[in-house]
Amino acid sequence: MTQPDSGSEKPDNLGHSSSHDASSPAQDEATTLPSGAKLQAEDSQHDSGSVSRRSVLAGVGGGLAAGLLVGVGIGAPVAYHKGRKSASGEVANRPLTLIYGGDICDAPSIVAKEKGFFDDAGLDVTLKRTVGDEDIKAAVGSGQYDASSGIFYSWLKPVEQGQNVKFVAGLHGGCLRLIVLKDSKFTEVSKLKGATIGIPNLHASATMFFSMDLLDAGINPLPEAKEVNWKVMEPSVLADALKRGEVDAIATSDPIAYLPLLKGYGVELSSNMKGTNAQEFCCCTALNGNFVKNETPLARKLIEAWCRGARYVKGHEAEVAKIEVETKSVAGDVDTIERLLKTYSWEPSVTKLKNALLPGVKKFKKTGYLRDDTDPQQLVDASFTTLGLDW
């Protein structure tokens, strides 16, 4: 099957019209993009055609981490192609809701929305930013939302417990990091026994993934084993908690995980891009099972357009970073987000995810998070479908 194109034939100018091109006069007022997103003037001036570079990541102390999440929930992202139909005039059978967490690596869905890839497929997709400690797994499993993305390890326990979710395609590689202070005595994962590790929650992607690294280092990762102390904290304070010595390490996703590296006080012990548990895919697509079963053609269209968004990121990182910031889909400054996007891989695949699932489940079971009687092959069969896609 021919892979969906990356959309590289589309303009890389975020859909700006000629009235907003480099020849437009400078303005002191906010500039409104065709999408409806507004760019505030910087330092009381606005350079025509430029993008505001007001940095969230450039702050210090408590304001830095808190600033990462301030603004993420300010309004829903507005599509650059709002209301556009596909060339054939085809429209979606019904509106679809895709929930996302606001991480840098949510680029595939944000791009697919803002560049009009969902529209091209005749889909009516709404992106919803998760709020607080909302249980995304249960919400997708129950059908409250049609789809989400995330590392499959964090979805395995919910699926084992009966959540009706289907994985289809891997979206990208990279975004999880295990970080300690630069002068820490914890110089490698094997020395983390007895350490306090700050995490967003006990079932977060980073918690599940780095539990396998701990396992490889001879450390029982289960909370009840108390060989490490998992300390659940608001994501926005994790980096500062590490800096102040409230935790010995933090395990989370970018951009939070990257802050100690960016500011020079942290070092990376591990990531999901290297080591014995390095993954070709960090996040994959997770769809409601009934949606997949009862509306297979619609689900297939969603995956194809979603993965088209993932492919587009490679080679367009600067544009994608601007889209994420301008639409307030992700908090951070454009330069840093662009830099991080370039460190991830963007080669979505259904078949490669399928090949990674069984070995991954077998390895993850050894952590103790799954029941002893859980059969890895049965869990894979219950949680994965190709939707007829072979790329």
Side-chain angles (χ1 to χ4, degrees):
M1 176 179 293
T2 302
Q3 295 189 17
D5 64 69
S6 65
S8 58
E9 78 284 354
K10 290 183 173 291
D12 293 344
N13 60 1
L14 306 188
H16 291 80
S17 66
S18 58
S19 62
H20 290 75
D21 63 16
S23 63
S24 299
Q27 302 175 38
D28 291 337
E29 302 299 327
T31 298
T32 302
L33 299 177
S35 66
K38 292 182 180 295
L39 298 180
Q40 298 297 325
E42 186 173 2
D43 298 330
S44 300
Q45 292 186 355
H46 180 81
D47 295 328
S48 58
S50 68
V51 176
S52 173
R53 297 289 178 122
R54 290 173 300 167
S55 173
V56 177
L57 295 177
V60 293
L64 169 64
L68 278 165
L69 297 185
V70 174
V72 173
I74 302 177
V78 183
Y80 279 84
H81 303 275
K82 185 177 180 181
R84 198 180 82 185
K85 296 181 180 180
S86 65
S88 64
E90 181 183 6
V91 295
N93 294 335
R94 66 173 177 86
L96 301 173
T97 302
L98 195 161
I99 188 166
Y100 72 108
D103 292 329
I104 291 172
C105 64
D106 284 309
S109 57
I110 296 167
V111 167
K113 178 70 173 179
E114 302 300 339
K115 295 295 291 183
F117 299 165
F118 288 139
D119 292 337
D120 287 346
L123 299 171
D124 178 8
V125 176
T126 296
L127 300 187
K128 183 182 185 301
R129 171 75 161 85
T130 184
V131 177
D133 58 355
E134 184 175 13
D135 189 340
I136 294 178
K137 281 86 169 176
V140 173
S142 67
Q144 180 181 350
Y145 304 118
D146 298 292
S148 183
S149 64
I151 189 168
F152 71 81
Y153 294 110
S154 68
W155 291 76
L156 292 176
K157 187 64 178 179
V159 171
E160 180 194 63
Q161 294 175 328
Q163 290 294 351
N164 188 14
V165 172
K166 294 287 187 181
F167 310 132
V168 182
L171 287 169
H172 73 92
C175 76
L176 302 179
R177 303 177 198 271
L178 178 62
I179 306 293
V180 298
L181 288 174
K182 185 170 285 187
D183 59 354
S184 173
K185 67 179 181 180
F186 301 105
T187 55
E188 54 189 56
V189 175
S190 61
K191 295 184 178 181
L192 285 174
K193 192 168 186 177
T196 297
I197 305 175
I199 53 174
N201 66 70
L202 285 171
H203 307 290
S205 295
T207 313
M208 298 295 97
F209 180 82
F210 293 115
S211 287
M212 294 189 294
D213 278 4
L214 292 170
L215 177 71
D216 290 342
I219 300 172
N220 188 330
L222 294 178
E224 56 267 31
K226 297 183 178 180
E227 293 191 11
V228 292
N229 174 32
W230 297 109
K231 186 173 183 179
V232 177
M233 308 181 77
E234 174 65 33
S236 64
V237 306
L238 282 171
D240 279 346
L242 176 67
K243 188 175 184 179
R244 292 193 298 264
E246 296 175 9
V247 293
D248 301 306
I250 59 172
T252 189
S253 57
D254 291 331
I256 300 290
Y258 189 67
L259 291 178
L261 306 179
L262 180 69
K263 303 305 293 183
Y265 62 84
V267 295
E268 183 179 281
L269 283 191
S270 184
S271 78
N272 62 343
M273 295 174 274
K274 63 185 181 183
T276 57
N277 295 303
Q279 299 289 299
E280 183 156 13
F281 298 112
C282 171
C283 293
C284 68
T285 62
L287 276 59
N288 172 263
N290 288 336
F291 170 41
V292 168
K293 179 181 178 181
N294 300 326
E295 301 172 275
T296 302
L298 190 59
R300 187 182 302 115
K301 284 184 179 182
L302 176 65
I303 294 298
E304 290 174 332
W306 199 347
C307 289
R308 184 182 175 192
R311 292 187 184 90
Y312 187 85
V313 179
K314 186 176 181 179
H316 300 89
E317 292 89 350
E319 178 191 359
V320 173
K322 292 176 185 178
I323 291 174
E324 290 194 324
V325 172
E326 289 171 356
T327 59
K328 296 183 174 65
S329 301
V330 177
D333 70 280
V334 173
D335 289 335
T336 301
I337 292 176
E338 177 186 351
R339 187 182 314 139
L340 287 169
L341 289 171
K342 288 180 176 178
T343 69
Y344 308 153
S345 62
W346 301 101
E347 299 177 0
S349 174
V350 175
T351 57
K352 289 182 179 179
L353 176 63
K354 179 181 180 180
N355 293 337
L357 282 174
L358 185 56
V361 174
K362 288 180 177 178
K363 177 65 177 286
F364 184 72
K365 184 179 177 181
K366 294 178 181 178
T367 63
Y369 284 106
L370 300 178
R371 297 193 311 264
D372 290 340
D373 63 350
T374 292
D375 180 271
Q377 184 63 65
Q378 290 181 359
L379 188 57
V380 169
D381 293 342
S383 62
F384 177 78
T385 179
T386 68
L387 285 176
L389 301 170
D390 61 4
W391 35 268

